[in-house]
Amino acid sequence: MITYEKDGAAIYRESFATIRAEAAAGLAGLEPVLSRTVVRMIHSCGMVDLIDDVVASEGFGPAAEDALKAGAPIFCDVNMVASGVTRKRLPAHNDVLCTLTDPRVAPLAAELGTTRSAAAMELWRDRLEGSLVVIGNAPTALFHLLEMLEAGAPRPAAVIGVPVGFVGAMESKDALHEHPLAPPHIIVRGRRGGSAIACGAVNALASEAE
Amino acid sequence: MITYEKDGAAIYRESFATIRAEAAAGLAGLEPVLSRTVVRMIHSCGMVDLIDDVVASEGFGPAAEDALKAGAPIFCDVNMVASGVTRKRLPAHNDVLCTLTDPRVAPLAAELGTTRSAAAMELWRDRLEGSLVVIGNAPTALFHLLEMLEAGAPRPAAVIGVPVGFVGAMESKDALHEHPLAPPHIIVRGRRGGSAIACGAVNALASEAE
């Protein structure tokens, strides 16, 4: 006979209480929207020390929150991110879009000499203005976003930039954070990141409910 | 002008080479199928030290690999896991199934007094025999699997047990690893885990291709 907590609401409560206690020092100085975003990012990966690597630009929290309330579409680099956004938390039935498997992407990637992840973003242009961009996987997508902005592309309201991995991930996040044209953004410095952390951030920004 | 690697194949090659170099000591003793599984789990989360927490039971690698080749369905606890399985890597067009949003699940959870994640597994019984079970998120799902096995449920061929988080995750993985009825399995000890790590394991087991 195995004994364990089976009440989903109690599991959430206890999880968030543990995170708030263990990350108390780091959370103390944060505005509420950013605090709950970091808490959910930690929750998604099981690592309290993630907070040491999270950096948000001035005004990121309110910019992302307001955009979602205003109905901004959420552009995701991979389907796994789109799949992890909890639809019932979204404040305005926001569209959650991933164009990676669009049939136009493979030929476009060949034409541009880049990855499919980067090429997929070219299909976002029409609705990029004021959107929430979420890069949970591909450093090339984050680099390509910066190139698009340099070339005069419409400006997202906010960017969650948390690609993961060993080639370009760290560099792409540093590039976003240091770029003069960067929209308000949140990143995780270093190699860590990924779809789950990205979704944790989106789901926190979408609703105050725990 | 930003300079970065834009060749997807080169990015993969360099990533795996970095992981194999940095995790060389831990990978050295592993059979090939397990080695490539651990490499992809590391790749999915950006953390080489994940290898210190990965534990596989005797025979897990071949059991999971053979099941997939034989056409085993892949049962996932959450849609994010199902979404991250790369379909073209699957050796037998294996079904990838998640029942969490099935309309029967919410009433079943209420009736059983457990989470939706746990109740969703009740709908797997008909095809559980010889399947690959992938728990990337919910500790309660992993605990419930053990309860089902104790009650005589059909036996999966292998289990990827990597729920993440602060309440029950560690305990559920330890319970799987120590359970006399546990099928061949791989776990990540402690709080770490998640959908991306789960998918990394599935995608590695599904194909030798890098």
Side-chain angles (χ1 to χ4, degrees):
Chain A
M1 189 68 195
I2 309 168
T3 307
Y4 60 96
E5 180 60 73
K6 297 180 184 181
D7 175 349
I11 293 170
Y12 267 100
R13 266 197 313 275
E14 193 182 327
S15 297
F16 288 126
T18 301
I19 295 167
R20 289 192 195 282
E22 293 189 18
L27 293 169
L30 303 181
E31 58 188 332
V33 57
L34 208 53
S35 174
R36 73 171 198 261
T37 302
V38 175
V39 166
R40 272 201 180 250
M41 291 167 78
I42 291 171
H43 180 251
S44 73
C45 66
M47 297 180 290
V48 171
D49 75 351
L50 192 79
I51 195 171
D52 301 334
D53 293 332
V54 175
V55 183
S57 70
E58 183 73 29
F60 163 77
E65 194 174 28
D66 292 350
L68 289 174
K69 283 182 184 156
I74 303 171
F75 283 113
C76 309
D77 65 334
V78 292
N79 281 310
M80 225 176 138
V81 170
S83 165
V85 172
T86 305
R87 301 305 196 270
K88 67 173 190 283
R89 296 182 65 86
L90 298 175
H93 303 290
N94 309 252
D95 286 333
V96 182
L97 305 164
C98 174
T99 53
L100 186 58
T101 53
D102 186 290
R104 292 169 289 180
V105 167
L108 192 59
E111 184 190 322
L112 298 174
T114 191
T115 63
R116 290 194 302 118
S117 300
M121 306 183 66
E122 291 290 330
L123 306 181
W124 300 359
R125 282 181 190 273
D126 288 353
R127 300 182 65 191
L128 199 56
E129 181 80 39
S131 67
L132 178 62
V133 166
V134 190
I135 311 288
N137 200 273
T140 54
L142 193 45
F143 279 127
H144 194 69
L145 174 68
L146 295 177
E147 291 171 336
M148 288 171 67
L149 292 171
E150 287 173 0
R155 190 178 162 82
V159 178
I160 296 169
V162 293
V164 60
F166 297 86
V167 176
M170 181 174 66
E171 295 81 356
S172 70
K173 292 178 281 192
D174 288 345
L176 171 68
H177 189 56
E178 289 155 18
H179 202 287
L181 295 176
H185 57 272
I186 194 166
I187 63 169
V188 175
R189 284 196 190 277
R191 289 172 169 178
R192 290 190 292 186
S195 303
I197 291 172
C199 292
V202 176
N203 290 332
L205 292 161
S207 168
E208 289 179 36
E210 299 217 320
Chain B
M1 188 70 193
I2 310 167
T3 307
Y4 59 96
E5 182 59 73
K6 296 179 184 181
D7 176 350
I11 293 170
Y12 267 99
R13 266 197 312 276
E14 194 182 324
S15 296
F16 288 127
T18 300
I19 295 166
R20 289 192 194 282
E22 293 188 18
L27 293 170
L30 303 182
E31 60 188 330
V33 57
L34 208 54
S35 174
R36 73 170 199 263
T37 301
V38 175
V39 167
R40 273 202 179 250
M41 292 167 78
I42 291 172
H43 180 252
S44 73
C45 67
M47 297 180 289
V48 171
D49 75 352
L50 191 78
I51 196 171
D52 301 334
D53 293 333
V54 175
V55 183
S57 69
E58 183 73 29
F60 163 77
E65 195 174 27
D66 292 351
L68 289 174
K69 283 182 184 156
I74 303 170
F75 283 112
C76 310
D77 64 334
V78 291
N79 281 310
M80 226 177 138
V81 170
S83 165
V85 173
T86 305
R87 301 307 196 268
K88 68 173 188 284
R89 295 182 65 87
L90 297 175
H93 304 288
N94 308 252
D95 286 334
V96 181
L97 306 163
C98 175
T99 54
L100 187 57
T101 53
D102 186 290
R104 290 168 290 180
V105 167
L108 192 59
E111 184 190 322
L112 298 174
T114 190
T115 64
R116 290 193 304 118
S117 300
M121 306 184 65
E122 291 290 331
L123 306 181
W124 301 359
R125 281 181 189 272
D126 288 353
R127 299 182 65 192
L128 199 56
E129 181 80 40
S131 67
L132 177 61
V133 166
V134 189
I135 311 290
N137 201 272
T140 52
L142 194 44
F143 279 126
H144 193 69
L145 174 67
L146 296 176
E147 291 171 335
M148 288 171 67
L149 292 170
E150 287 173 359
R155 191 177 162 82
V159 177
I160 297 170
V162 293
V164 60
F166 297 85
V167 177
M170 181 174 67
E171 294 81 358
S172 70
K173 293 178 282 193
D174 289 345
L176 172 67
H177 188 56
E178 290 155 17
H179 202 286
L181 294 177
H185 57 271
I186 194 167
I187 64 169
V188 175
R189 284 196 190 279
R191 290 171 168 179
R192 291 192 291 185
S195 303
I197 291 172
C199 292
V202 176
N203 291 331
L205 293 160
S207 167
E208 289 178 37
E210 297 214 325

